[in-house]
Amino acid sequence: MHEYSFHPLADQYPLISGDDAAAMEQDMREGGFDRRFPIQIFQGDILDGRGRYTIARRVGIEPVFEEFNGSLADAEAFVRRSNENRRRLTDEWLEERRRQRKQARVER
């Protein structure tokens, strides 16, 4: 299995953990890797799918990869939408992340 690093944009969000990770691992053990949700690769690193990649490696399943086609701004928006709209992040965590993004825009 090819080894990838995690893209810095993806690392702005926490990895899946706890009960969610355990449920994903059990699902992969029983049903394999869901090919409908390929791991997104951008600039040679994992942009989206870090948890699926980590768990697939742990259980010995080959994941599906897809090259993300778009600009850095597109990638940033994709990671934000993917994580903030689909994950179980707390309201406090999301508010802090939004504050950090606003501050980064001001500093540019």
Side-chain angles (χ1 to χ4, degrees):
M1 178 183 304
H2 184 83
E3 289 195 32
Y4 287 97
S5 296
F6 300 149
H7 195 280
L9 289 173
D11 278 340
Q12 294 175 3
Y13 293 88
L15 280 167
I16 188 171
S17 62
D19 291 342
D20 292 335
M24 182 183 286
E25 183 171 333
Q26 184 63 33
D27 182 66
M28 265 195 216
R29 286 184 187 280
E30 293 173 0
F33 189 89
D34 191 337
R35 301 179 70 76
R36 296 174 300 160
F37 304 104
I39 295 169
Q40 298 293 311
I41 304 298
F42 181 67
Q43 299 176 333
D45 295 328
I46 294 176
L47 181 65
D48 182 61
R50 295 172 304 155
R52 288 175 282 139
Y53 172 77
T54 302
I55 292 169
R57 290 192 56 180
R58 184 169 46 237
V59 301
I61 294 172
E62 184 69 33
V64 175
F65 299 97
E66 179 177 277
E67 191 69 31
F68 180 84
N69 293 311
S71 68
L72 184 59
D74 294 334
E76 186 174 24
F78 176 79
V79 167
R80 184 179 65 250
R81 285 190 317 270
S82 294
N83 284 279
E84 294 182 15
N85 294 335
R86 121 181 132 201
R87 307 230 5 237
R88 294 180 186 169
L89 301 174
T90 65
D91 289 340
E92 293 82 13
W93 194 96
L94 289 169
E95 186 57 38
E96 175 62 19
R97 183 68 192 112
R98 289 181 187 112
R99 187 194 64 71
Q100 291 170 354
R101 275 200 310 273
K102 287 177 187 174
Q103 183 62 36
R105 275 186 243 134
V106 168
E107 293 173 358
R108 288 184 194 162

